[in-house]
Amino acid sequence: MGKFIISKRTNGDYQFNLKAGNGQVILTSQGYSSKSGCENGIDSVKTNAKDDSKFERKTAADGRAYFNLKAANGQIIGTSQMYESENGMENGIESVKNNAPGASVEDETAA
């Protein structure tokens, strides 16, 4: 089972990573100025991960594949790692679909 990890960036922003059951990061968020914004982002991933049309498949300048997960309003709520192949990227998308909806949340910023 996957889990979301909430952490703080060096600039003070909050972010989350979605990790698969094997501990590999499969989705990383943008920076959020508040923890509640970060938590709303997690809720949005859980909701939108079920919908294949919310995954934007992309190719980086160096030819590696990656994807963005978008909310209903079109805003990017998470970005994948870089994959060497489109097949690897598709496996990453499936992993997000399988792991995100029931993932637990671990807050590393809590005192």
Side-chain angles (χ1 to χ4, degrees):
M1 184 61 82
K3 68 178 169 182
F4 289 94
I5 308 290
I6 298 174
S7 60
K8 260 192 165 177
R9 294 181 172 177
T10 54
N11 68 358
D13 281 356
Y14 292 87
Q15 75 170 37
F16 64 80
N17 284 312
L18 173 60
K19 291 187 175 185
N22 64 5
Q24 184 174 9
V25 174
I26 51 178
L27 195 70
T28 300
S29 74
Q30 63 183 24
Y32 295 92
S33 58
S34 69
K35 189 186 292 189
S36 63
C38 188
E39 292 166 339
N40 288 342
I42 290 171
D43 290 341
S44 185
V45 170
K46 287 183 174 189
T47 300
N48 290 290
K50 302 170 195 147
D51 184 349
D52 190 70
S53 71
K54 298 290 195 304
F55 289 90
E56 178 184 45
R57 291 149 172 92
K58 308 279 281 179
T59 303
D62 66 4
R64 293 187 296 170
Y66 71 100
F67 62 86
N68 293 318
L69 176 60
K70 292 188 164 187
N73 64 5
Q75 183 177 1
I76 295 171
I77 47 180
T79 301
S80 73
Q81 65 181 25
M82 293 291 175
Y83 295 95
E84 296 302 321
S85 67
E86 284 189 28
N87 190 42
M89 175 189 66
E90 292 298 333
N91 289 340
I93 289 172
E94 286 305 310
S95 186
V96 171
K97 288 179 183 177
N98 292 331
N99 284 283
S104 60
V105 178
E106 190 175 301
D107 185 353
E108 293 183 343
T109 69

